[in-house]
């Protein structure tokens, strides 16, 4: 995607990856001592685990963004903060429709753009006039954050908020202390007036204020405020809990580690590298980065659990534009995104932008419904269920196909390789393998292979490196009575929570 909205996030994420992650230690973090050798470091890496909030978030698999605001009415991706607020009047707005559509698509948590770069607040903040109270919407008595939060509550949906640090409207932007203080007030309003918040999403876009000075953000203070007011919330993207995957194409890495090096330089580099204006050229994507290999870990001063979130839009832009009505991703396109995000050890954050009426458009609704149908038809039946499972050095074979990802198969002792044979319950035809590690004890598998017994011999049908929370691999359809999973390399005893074979819906 080439629209300008990409540039800020690419810029900040590049910065983030080059420099290490924001501070705020997690319980599972470990430090590396100068005396540690490679074996020590790899053993430590195999024991880094997610925090409770990270684990809960990872298990959601599917989350959604709702980009909605003044840009929806001006047909822009980035507003400049000078917009006439009288244009904002989503006459039929129904946040319950948004959440119902998301829920029916299998989405478990949603994030609303409470304030984008244009500075327009979807709630009646007491700290700026650039808000919904100065629009015709409900004659200035509306509060879309509240409508959204209430709908989430009603549907049992996780509730998250995006708040842009970059603000092209605020006169105090650039006067760092003053603006940071204002930002604390906004955060406090959002974190105290709308009940439980499950995710707070910051991007790192950063620029100069009207005084010509570059704003220096007080991320550490913001994180501490969130931890104090909403301790269960994950802080995403420009935050310590959840990492931007490195592209807005919806493609995760084939090798995607959640255990990454913690490097010494942190917050101070953020502002130095963030974009200054909308002419900033996108830097491309970050997908070639090797983030968590053994070589990377050897250079680290510490190790952290920092899992990938794959954000992508159902449409070409983040905000709604009429011209994109025919460009909504199809059910097949959404299924592809599932494979390339969740199927590569990530969480999908799918943007579904409401239109100017304040509703999710029919085209988007139909695609999401079609995708859900395809997901169910594909994944509801595990063709490996009922298999007789044998592994010479393994324990708890029954856990592999019990449909419960909190029970797991592992090796005896600390064996790091193993072969697991599945005698299927009859002849089966499949074209997808699904694997899950028990990540609450760490991420360990470095290399695996799947073979099928066809025409009297074993044939390799899939190979992979990392598994993590979930790994899905597609291959040309195979009909077989037996398959063999070989763990070729692991950082410690591998723990496999689930093994599945599936047939993609026709
Ligand atoms: C970026 C923004 O510039 C885009 O408009 C969008 O909100 C994306 C998710 O993050 O930094």
């Amino acid at each position: 995607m080439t629209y300008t909205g990409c540039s800020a996030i690419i810029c900040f994420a590049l910065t983030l990856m080059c420099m290490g992650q924001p501070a705020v230690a997690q319980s599972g973090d470990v430090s590396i001592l100068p005396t540690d050798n490679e074996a020590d470091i790899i053993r430590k890496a195999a024991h880094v685990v997610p925090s409770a909030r990270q684990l809960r978030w990872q298990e959601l698999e599917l989350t959604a963004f709702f980009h909605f605001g003044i840009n929806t009415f001006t047909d822009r991706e980035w507003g400049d903060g000078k917009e006439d607020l009288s244009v904002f009047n989503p006459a039929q707005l129904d946040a319950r429709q948004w959440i119902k559509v998301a829920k029916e698509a299998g989405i478990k948590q949603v994030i609303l753009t409470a304030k984008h770069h244009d500075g327009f607040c979807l709630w009646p903040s007491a700290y700026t006039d650039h808000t919904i109270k100065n629009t015709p919407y409900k004659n200035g008595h509306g509060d879309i954050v509240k409508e959204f939060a209430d709908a989430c509550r009603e549907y049992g949906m996780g509730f998250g908020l995006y708040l842009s640090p970059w603000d092209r409207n605020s006169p105090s932007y650039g006067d760092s202390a003053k603006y940071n203080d204002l930002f604390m007030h906004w955060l406090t309003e959002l974190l105290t007036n709308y009940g439980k918040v499950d995710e707070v999403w910051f991007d790192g876009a950063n620029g100069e204020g009207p005084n010509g000075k570059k704003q220096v953000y007080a991320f550490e203070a913001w994180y501490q405020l969130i931890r104090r007011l909403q301790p269960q919330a994950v802080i995403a993207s420009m935050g310590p809990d959840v990492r931007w995957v490195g592209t807005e194409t919806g493609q995760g890495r084939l090798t995607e580690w959640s255990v990454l090096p913690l490097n010494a330089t942190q917050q101070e580099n953020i502002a130095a590298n963030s974009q200054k204006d909308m002419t900033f050229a996108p830097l491309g994507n970050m997908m070639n980065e090797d983030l968590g290999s053994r070589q990377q870990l050897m250079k680290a001063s510490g190790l952290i659990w920092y899992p990938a979130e794959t954000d992508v839009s159902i449409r070409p832009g983040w905000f709604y534009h009429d011209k994109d009505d025919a460009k909504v991703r199809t059910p097949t396109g959404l299924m592809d995104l599932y494979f390339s995000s969740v199927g590569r050890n990530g969480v999908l954050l799918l943007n579904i932008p409401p239109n100017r009426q304040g509703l999710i458009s029919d085209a988007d609704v139909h695609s999401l419904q079609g995708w859900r149908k395809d997901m169910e038809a594909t994944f509801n039946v595990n063709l490996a269920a009922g298999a007789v499972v044998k592994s010479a050095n393994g324990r708890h074979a029954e856990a592999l196909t019990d449909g419960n990802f909190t029970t797991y198969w592992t090796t005896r002792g600390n064996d790091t390789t193993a072969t697991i044979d599945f005698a299927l319950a009859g002849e089966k035809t499949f074209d997808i393998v699904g694997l899950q590690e028990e990540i609450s004890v760490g991420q360990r598998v470095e290399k695996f292979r799947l073979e099928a017994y066809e025409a009297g011999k074993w044939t390799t049908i899939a190979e992979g490196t990392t598994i993590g929370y979930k790994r899905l691999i597609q291959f040309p359809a195979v009909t077989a009575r037996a398959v063999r999973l070989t763990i070729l390399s692991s950082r410690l005893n591998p723990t496999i929570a689930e093994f599945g074979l599936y047939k993609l819906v026709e």
Side-chain angles (χ1 to χ4, degrees):
M1 290 184 219
T2 52
Y3 52 89
T4 51
C6 292
S7 59
I9 194 164
I10 287 169
C11 179
F12 95 77
L14 180 67
T15 308
L16 197 64
M17 291 188 184
C18 294
M19 68 178 193
Q21 296 71 37
V24 175
Q26 306 277 352
S27 54
D29 299 356
V30 301
S31 49
I32 291 176
L33 308 173
T35 50
D36 284 341
N37 61 26
E38 177 168 350
D40 296 328
I41 294 172
I42 295 307
R43 197 182 53 253
K44 284 184 175 182
H47 283 109
V48 177
V49 294
S51 63
R53 64 174 83 84
Q54 288 173 316
L55 189 58
R56 174 196 165 274
W57 169 85
Q58 186 89 51
E59 290 169 0
L60 300 170
E61 292 197 7
L62 302 178
T63 64
F65 244 152
F66 291 96
H67 273 69
F68 185 70
I70 207 81
N71 294 335
T72 313
F73 294 84
T74 54
D75 214 13
R76 296 176 77 178
E77 279 292 312
W78 283 6
D80 58 14
K82 299 185 179 78
E83 289 80 8
D84 175 359
L85 298 190
S86 67
V87 300
F88 186 88
N89 195 9
Q92 298 166 44
L93 187 132
D94 180 5
R96 296 176 69 252
Q97 185 247 7
W98 309 0
I99 305 303
K100 183 167 179 285
V101 166
K103 177 109 183 173
E104 287 174 0
I107 285 158
K108 304 282 179 357
Q109 187 152 299
V110 291
I111 301 171
L112 173 67
T113 51
K115 175 179 85 84
H116 203 251
H117 308 328
D118 49 70
F120 173 65
C121 299
L122 288 178
W123 78 103
S125 171
Y127 297 92
T128 169
D129 289 333
H130 204 59
T131 81
I132 193 163
K133 68 187 172 224
N134 287 315
T135 72
Y137 181 63
K138 298 196 170 172
N139 295 319
H141 297 292
D143 181 345
I144 292 176
V145 174
K146 179 162 189 323
E147 291 187 55
F148 186 77
D150 288 348
C152 288
R153 242 42 96 210
E154 180 181 335
Y155 284 91
M157 180 70 84
F159 166 58
L161 292 169
Y162 165 110
L163 191 66
S164 170
W166 190 31
D167 193 307
R168 308 181 83 198
N169 172 268
S170 174
S172 55
Y173 191 82
D175 182 340
S176 293
K178 199 166 167 204
Y179 179 76
N180 286 331
D181 200 43
L182 172 61
F183 201 84
M184 287 287 263
H185 285 301
W186 281 330
L187 263 181
T188 305
E189 288 183 324
L190 292 172
L191 300 177
T192 51
N193 293 337
Y194 301 98
K196 183 159 148 287
V197 178
D198 298 296
E199 183 161 354
V200 179
W201 212 98
F202 294 133
D203 73 40
N206 188 202
E208 287 160 10
N211 62 359
K213 290 197 182 152
K214 185 143 91 187
Q215 174 68 36
V216 179
Y217 297 134
F219 279 110
E220 202 60 35
W222 304 344
Y223 299 160
Q224 281 169 18
L225 183 72
I226 297 167
R227 291 291 195 246
R228 185 161 61 77
L229 297 176
Q230 297 281 352
Q232 71 291 327
V234 286
I235 310 172
S237 224
M238 200 62 176
D241 301 314
V242 170
R243 161 175 59 94
W244 180 55
V245 74
T247 174
E248 291 174 342
T249 60
Q251 304 291 309
R253 291 173 185 74
L254 291 172
T255 299
E256 191 64 80
W257 287 102
S258 294
V259 180
L260 298 193
L262 171 72
N263 292 315
T265 347
Q266 299 189 0
Q267 293 294 11
E268 59 272 20
N269 286 330
I270 297 170
N273 288 288
S274 288
Q275 108 296 333
K276 292 188 177 63
D277 57 45
M278 290 181 64
T279 58
F280 181 88
L283 293 174
N285 76 43
M286 302 285 305
M287 300 312 293
N288 295 328
E289 291 285 315
D290 163 17
L291 303 182
S293 69
R294 289 185 180 226
Q295 289 87 323
Q296 295 299 324
L297 301 190
M298 290 314 121
K299 298 184 246 167
S301 59
L303 302 170
I304 56 167
W305 187 271
Y306 202 33
E309 179 181 71
T310 310
D311 64 334
V312 60
S313 187
I314 195 168
R315 288 165 170 258
W318 289 104
F319 284 88
Y320 176 84
H321 308 286
D322 288 331
K323 65 174 169 34
D324 294 338
D325 279 347
K327 295 186 187 155
V328 175
R329 287 180 199 263
T330 61
T332 307
L334 294 173
M335 185 63 115
D336 289 344
L337 283 182
Y338 180 71
F339 280 103
S340 63
S341 57
V342 177
R344 294 182 184 175
N345 190 28
V347 166
L348 176 62
L349 174 56
L350 178 68
N351 181 58
I352 312 166
N355 60 26
R356 278 193 288 281
Q357 283 71 51
L359 296 169
I360 309 298
S361 302
D362 288 349
D364 309 54
V365 174
H366 291 144
S367 268
L368 290 162
Q369 286 171 343
W371 173 44
R372 188 70 219 156
K373 243 171 90 216
D374 290 353
M375 286 280 286
E376 284 171 6
T378 302
F379 292 107
N380 275 3
V381 177
N382 178 0
L383 298 166
V388 177
V389 188
K390 288 200 175 119
S391 58
N393 62 344
R395 297 184 278 141
H396 309 304
E398 70 290 346
L400 287 163
T401 54
D402 65 359
N404 176 354
F405 59 80
T406 65
T407 59
Y408 61 89
W409 164 96
T410 188
T411 51
R412 293 181 209 285
N414 277 340
D415 279 3
T416 54
T417 57
T419 299
I420 313 173
D421 281 312
F422 297 80
L424 303 176
E427 192 173 76
K428 307 282 178 187
T429 299
F430 47 89
D431 53 13
I432 300 164
V433 61
L435 290 158
Q436 291 192 262
E437 272 182 88
E438 175 47 88
I439 58 166
S440 67
V441 300
Q443 185 185 352
R444 299 171 177 186
V445 175
E446 290 178 313
K447 198 168 186 202
F448 63 90
R449 179 173 63 214
L450 184 73
E451 293 160 283
Y453 196 70
E454 291 176 293
K457 61 177 175 43
W458 288 104
T459 310
T460 299
I461 52 174
E463 286 177 299
T465 53
T466 48
I467 296 176
Y469 172 73
K470 187 169 271 190
R471 185 67 209 274
L472 298 168
I473 301 182
Q474 294 180 273
F475 42 81
V478 168
T479 301
R481 289 179 176 275
V483 294
R484 172 176 288 169
L485 175 67
T486 306
I487 306 293
L488 296 157
S489 172
S490 183
R491 291 179 175 177
L492 198 63
N493 57 302
T495 65
I496 308 293
E498 280 302 299
F499 176 85
L501 296 173
Y502 307 95
K503 179 74 188 69
L504 187 70
V505 64
E506 298 292 333

